[in-house]
């Protein structure tokens, strides 16, 4: 069994608004690495569609394919983290991410389960830090 990590946040917005924040190019741009002006976004949130979020100046990106799209309850997608080395993407092995959205008093509970082939606690901790960073931004931006 592949190791996984699970994180959740309550976002002070309704489920449809949070869904759009995750599934549209404009929505992602409001919170995912949004403080890095060079970040580019692309999202086609249909089963078999693709997404890409890339911060070239920082030399990183993530891309993948939507595996399941159940609006506005659940998204499942492949996750390929990559680093840009001399302008060329060097991929890590593909992981899988599932995100669920549930109405809750005061907003929407967003739960992220990231399952990967990583084999060390450090790799899992790196993903935990990264998810904390973007989920905290989503929470802040929805409150603002």
């Amino acid at each position: 069994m592949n190791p996984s990590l699970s994180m959740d946040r309550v976002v002070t917005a309704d489920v449809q608004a949070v869904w759009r924040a995750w599934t549209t190019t404009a929505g992602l741009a409001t919170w995912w690495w949004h403080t890095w002006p060079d970040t580019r976004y692309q999202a086609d949130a249909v089963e078999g569609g693709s997404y890409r979020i890339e911060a070239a100046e920082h030399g990183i990106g993530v891309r993948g394919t939507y595996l399941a799209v159940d609006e506005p309850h659940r998204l499942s997608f492949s996750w390929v983290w990559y680093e840009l080395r001399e302008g060329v993407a060097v991929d890590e092995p593909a992981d899988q991410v599932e995100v669920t959205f549930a109405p809750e008093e005061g907003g929407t509970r967003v739960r992220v389960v990231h399952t990967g082939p990583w084999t060390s606690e450090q790799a899992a901790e790196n993903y935990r830090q990264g998810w904390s960073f973007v989920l905290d931004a989503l929470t802040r931006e929805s409150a603002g």
Side-chain angles (χ1 to χ4, degrees), residues 65-108:
T65 302
Y66 292 99
L67 306 172
V69 179
D70 177 16
E71 183 178 349
H73 311 287
R74 178 178 163 266
L75 278 177
S76 177
F77 47 90
S78 64
W79 171 279
V80 179
W81 177 263
Y82 60 90
E83 293 182 17
L84 296 169
R85 298 189 188 137
E86 297 177 12
V88 176
V90 178
D91 293 347
E92 296 288 327
D95 300 345
Q96 187 168 332
V97 175
E98 181 166 299
V99 185
T100 55
F101 308 87
E104 185 169 293
E105 188 173 331
T108 302

Side-chain angles (χ1 to χ4, degrees), residues 22-89:
W22 278 83
T23 59
T24 66
T25 298
L28 285 166
T30 65
W31 63 281
W32 193 294
W33 300 342
H34 70 290
T35 58
W36 297 345
D38 71 315
T39 304
R40 293 182 308 216
Y41 307 88
Q42 174 268 317
D44 181 19
V46 296
E47 283 187 33
S50 65
Y51 72 94
R52 178 182 296 263
I53 305 167
E54 183 176 284
E57 210 172 278
H58 289 81
I60 57 173
V62 63
R63 64 179 173 76
T65 302
Y66 292 99
L67 306 172
V69 179
D70 177 16
E71 183 178 349
H73 311 287
R74 178 178 163 266
L75 278 177
S76 177
F77 47 90
S78 64
W79 171 279
V80 179
W81 177 263
Y82 60 90
E83 293 182 17
L84 296 169
R85 298 189 188 137
E86 297 177 12
V88 176

Side-chain angles (χ1 to χ4, degrees), residues 1-6 77-79 93-98 112-118 127 131:
M1 175 182 269
N2 286 335
S4 66
L5 65 90
S6 178
F77 47 90
S78 64
W79 171 279
D95 300 345
Q96 187 168 332
V97 175
E98 181 166 299
V112 174
V113 178
H114 188 143
T115 304
W118 58 76
Y127 276 118
W131 279 113

